Amino acid sequence: MGGVIPSNTNTSSTSVDAGPVRFGTFEVDFRTGELRKNGLKVKLHTQPIAILELLLERPGEIVTREELRQRLWGSETFVDFEQGLNKAINKLREALGDQADNPRYIETMPRRGYRFVGQVTLPHPVLAVIPKPPKEQTSKALPIAIAVACAIVIAGVVYWAAARRFAARPSPSPRVMLAVLPFQNLSGDNNEDYFADGLTEEMISQLGQLQPSRLGVIARTSAMRYKNTKETIAQIGRELGVGYVLEGSVRHAGSRVRITAQLIQSGDQTHLWAESYDATVTDILKVQTEIAQRITGSLQLELIPERASSSATARFDPEAYRKYLLGLEEFRSGTREGESKAIQDLRDAIAADPGNARLYAALGSIYAASHTYFKSPAEVMPQAKEAAQRALELDSNLAGAHATLGYVSLFFDWDWVRAEAEYHRALDLNPSLPDAQLGYAAYLATLGHFDEAVSRIRQADSVDPLATESRADALWIYYFSGRLPETVTEAQKTIELEPRAGLPYAMLALAYADQGQHEKAAGAAENAVRFADDSPSVVATAASALARAGQVDKAKQVLEHALELARTRYVCRFIVAGVYADLGENQQAFDSLDLAFRQRST
């Protein structure tokens, strides 16, 4: 008998050393850079081959455009990258006989990137035969046998590494991704839309906490973009990167509610189950829990008992529930009047149902978010903290309340230890909560852990891929970490999602100015002011970019406009101080910093 050892035991680069990778009628060997179809060589240039290698390293997983840029183009400009990537993808598809609208191998994930969807055959380790030593060499046989045994183990490691990198199954993660589409309002009254939208948000929140390690749920912001959509379930699944979709309708009349729900597998649009529920508003949480349990049962996920049971036994006062949903709807209007109405609605709801933890949690989150628009942190953060703490006294498993306390601890109390603890707890309860992911990213960035912060941003993007406000907020982290090319790229992605959003243009202007691209900076700053929606902080950021681009007079005019807006709206005085510093007006900069300190400006 003979022994075996691998001819090459280097596991540092599986794509090079593991041998040819096969899919369909194709075989690709990244050691030689050759693609073959039915044994015949297919001509393909370096960049398409490199893209194919990255896609095959993570089959079934989304490879973002940013990852492709870093791997293939490095620090080249955004325009060069976009043109080059589109051309390379088209060449790769042409070589594979693939089509963008009916992909067999490479699927486009709109606004995000690409993923390989074909079946992959694993590369096997290459083995060499070692002859058995002659009988007279038995004294040397033991070391050789040991070497052979080690070689077999190493061969197994090589194969295991290849299996890990080129997994045959399309999903490298056990986490199932689900989207809850906006529930249809069948009440015949458009004024009841708030009820259907609120039910959608409640289902997203509840599902996100049921089994967070196994079930990821797309956030409300991205899900609501599909309200009244004509897109198919398959299209929505591809765009959001989810395998399953929950859709339904609600008919609300007085104290009664009828809810229908159905779970659909997005790939082939198979209906896994459908059910109707008739209940009183008082038992609305019980119905939500039953729907969630049907979903987790269908997906063979095990519920966390204490989280499943808490909602199953909870009850909602009908008037409190109505005020609760109205308050959420009012706040999303983004107006001063809407904010005031939202706070009053939540306070009315609490008066009707003072033992309901969800009401305090919602009130706390509204207070915490309101300083961005109209009030300083010193005015609203203590109230946000008080409401969130009361919510957790009543129910310690509310992820949103923990995220609110993390936010207050980080940006108002400047208590890093408490902030970290609250964000950790929020993420343990519901990693699909974008506020928790982005808040923790801000915490990490504050401590200078920028790589970890960016990783958290990307996790937030995975559950809220179409959100513009959270993406815009994340731009500050990219910028302050010194990642100017990424700031430009991410700002342009956000503008693509929402062309009339002011902050992405302002951040784009700052990044361009710091890169010395003054003409581009001025153009982006102009758009920032145009689409600022009367936000003095956005206008002030544009002024800073203009000052850095050498347009001092224009910067002063824009700053004056920002300060005029600040008479009735909140402005971050830290940003104002930055404008003064860029203009060389140091005393005004110090005065503004002093005010920022007293206001706890964010």
Side-chain angles (χ1 to χ4, degrees), residues 88-327:
I89 288 289
N90 289 337
K91 290 291 185 183
L92 179 56
R93 281 188 169 130
E94 182 180 337
L96 299 178
D98 209 12
Q99 297 178 345
D101 56 352
N102 187 26
R104 294 174 58 202
Y105 300 117
I106 300 172
E107 182 180 23
T108 299
M109 307 302 293
R111 309 181 185 95
R112 302 176 71 187
Y114 305 89
R115 66 178 170 188
F116 193 88
V117 295
Q119 194 78 2
V120 180
T121 302
L122 302 178
H124 292 274
V126 182
L127 305 176
V129 177
I130 301 295
K132 181 181 178 181
K135 291 183 179 179
E136 64 268 24
Q137 293 182 335
T138 53
S139 62
K140 298 179 181 178
L142 183 58
I144 293 176
I146 293 173
V148 169
C150 292
I152 293 172
V153 173
I154 294 171
V157 171
V158 173
Y159 183 76
W160 176 84
R164 290 278 292 178
R165 196 173 187 185
F166 296 99
R169 292 185 178 274
S171 177
S173 167
R175 202 162 182 238
V176 175
M177 292 301 297
L178 167 76
V180 180
L181 296 187
F183 277 63
Q184 285 184 285
N185 169 26
L186 299 184
S187 302
D189 182 358
N190 291 337
N191 292 325
E192 290 291 318
D193 277 356
Y194 79 93
F195 195 94
D197 293 347
L199 178 62
T200 304
E201 183 168 0
E202 284 284 287
M203 284 304 313
I204 289 171
S205 177
Q206 184 161 157
L207 284 165
Q209 289 201 191
L210 279 182
Q211 183 48 282
S213 65
R214 296 289 310 281
L215 179 64
V217 185
I218 296 297
R220 177 196 178 278
T221 312
S222 292
M224 291 305 292
R225 283 179 171 259
Y226 294 96
K227 187 173 182 177
N228 301 321
T229 185
K230 290 183 172 58
E231 292 188 45
T232 66
I233 295 296
Q235 288 175 305
I236 295 170
R238 285 195 297 269
E239 290 179 7
L240 294 177
V242 299
Y244 301 89
V245 169
L246 176 71
E247 67 173 7
S249 63
V250 57
R251 187 186 303 275
H252 175 222
S255 63
R256 303 292 302 180
V257 60
R258 179 177 176 83
I259 298 171
T260 63
Q262 53 186 343
L263 183 66
I264 305 169
Q265 188 167 317
S266 62
D268 57 9
Q269 303 190 72
T270 300
H271 286 62
L272 302 182
W273 63 261
E275 191 66 77
S276 296
Y277 303 86
D278 288 289
T280 63
V281 174
T282 304
D283 293 322
I284 191 77
L285 296 182
K286 184 179 179 181
V287 174
Q288 293 171 17
T289 300
E290 289 181 14
I291 294 172
Q293 288 174 339
R294 286 293 305 271
I295 291 172
T296 53
S298 296
L299 302 182
Q300 297 183 336
L301 303 176
E302 182 180 350
L303 294 179
I304 299 176
E306 64 271 19
R307 298 183 196 173
S309 61
S310 63
S311 292
T313 58
R315 295 171 69 84
F316 233 124
D317 177 88
E319 178 61 14
Y321 190 69
R322 187 180 75 85
K323 286 286 189 177
Y324 165 65
L325 296 185
L326 280 173

Side-chain angles (χ1 to χ4, degrees), residues 346-479:
L346 265 297
R347 291 203 172 279
D348 290 345
I350 289 170
D353 195 357
N356 195 313
R358 294 167 188 264
L359 304 178
Y360 292 97
L363 181 62
S365 66
I366 288 175
Y367 272 128
S370 64
H371 84 271
T372 306
Y373 306 102
F374 306 112
K375 298 175 182 177
S376 73
E379 293 178 84
V380 295
M381 288 293 206
Q383 292 165 297
K385 182 177 182 179
E386 180 182 4
Q389 286 177 328
R390 179 56 181 153
L392 294 176
E393 288 172 4
L394 295 168
D395 184 351
S396 62
N397 287 327
L398 291 178
H402 283 289
T404 297
L405 277 185
Y407 186 81
V408 174
S409 299
L410 176 63
F411 290 111
F412 186 73
D413 292 339
W414 300 339
D415 184 344
W416 315 140
V417 175
R418 177 72 181 274
E420 181 182 31
E422 294 295 345
Y423 280 129
H424 276 178
R425 181 59 178 151
L427 290 168
D428 285 343
L429 289 167
N430 188 357
S432 294
L433 186 64
D435 286 349
Q437 292 285 5
L438 290 170
Y440 190 52
Y443 161 79
L444 292 168
T446 300
L447 271 61
H449 304 317
F450 291 114
D451 288 343
E452 295 175 67
V454 169
S455 176
R456 287 289 173 178
I457 291 172
R458 289 172 180 160
Q459 289 183 57
D461 288 345
S462 72
V463 294
D464 207 3
L466 305 183
T468 54
E469 187 169 346
S470 58
R471 280 180 173 270
D473 290 341
L475 291 174
W476 286 108
I477 295 175
Y478 283 110
Y479 178 76

